[in-house]
Amino acid sequence: QVQLVESGGGLVQAGGSLRLSCAASGRSFNRDAMGWFRQAPGREREFVAAISWGAYTTYYRDSVKGRFTISRDNAKNTVYLQMNDLKPEDTALYYCAADNSMGVLTTTLLPRYWGQGTQVTVSS
């Protein structure tokens, strides 16, 4: 059974940091693009960041550029999201996703694989 399991969410004050992890199991994702999405209450799910299978290319939504960093460890089948200088508007349920197409990951909400999400709450 293929699974993506997120961890690392929590409650943090504005300006603080969190590191999210997404551990994949069931098959290797070493040839897949992986990414992070988020969904705040009452809002649509949105793309946050993505990384190519070899970690050569990364993409970010504009509002997190310079604050968030996506990385991956293919030996551990894991992708990370380091979030610094967090703002209350970053509060959301954060989802890990994977697809063999970077285009699908960065331009649609249709990645083939999804995790269950981890909550990030930033207080002002």
Side-chain angles (χ1 to χ4, degrees):
Q1 182 181 0
V2 177
Q3 281 190 312
L4 299 177
V5 179
E6 302 95 335
S7 61
L11 173 64
V12 64
Q13 288 188 331
S17 298
L18 285 173
R19 188 193 194 206
L20 306 184
S21 299
C22 171
S25 62
R27 75 168 185 82
S28 171
F29 284 86
N30 292 353
R31 295 293 179 175
D32 292 274
M34 299 190 74
W36 292 92
F37 292 73
R38 66 186 182 188
Q39 187 167 17
R43 302 189 66 175
E44 292 187 353
R45 191 172 297 189
E46 62 185 20
F47 167 79
V48 176
I51 187 167
S52 61
W53 68 267
Y56 301 119
T57 306
T58 57
Y59 296 93
Y60 298 92
R61 70 179 299 104
D62 286 346
S63 61
V64 307
K65 286 180 180 177
R67 300 189 297 121
F68 291 11
T69 302
I70 189 170
S71 61
R72 66 190 295 165
D73 184 338
N74 284 342
K76 296 181 179 179
N77 226 16
T78 300
V79 64
Y80 306 96
L81 186 68
Q82 177 67 43
M83 304 185 296
N84 298 328
D85 190 23
L86 282 160
K87 306 176 185 299
E89 52 264 41
D90 294 318
T91 294
L93 188 61
Y94 281 71
Y95 297 90
C96 175
D99 197 278
N100 60 8
S101 166
M102 179 64 88
V104 167
L105 207 60
T106 57
T107 64
T108 77
L109 296 177
L110 301 173
R112 183 174 181 183
Y113 300 101
W114 289 94
Q116 294 299 307
T118 184
Q119 179 67 38
V120 171
T121 303
V122 184
S123 63
S124 57

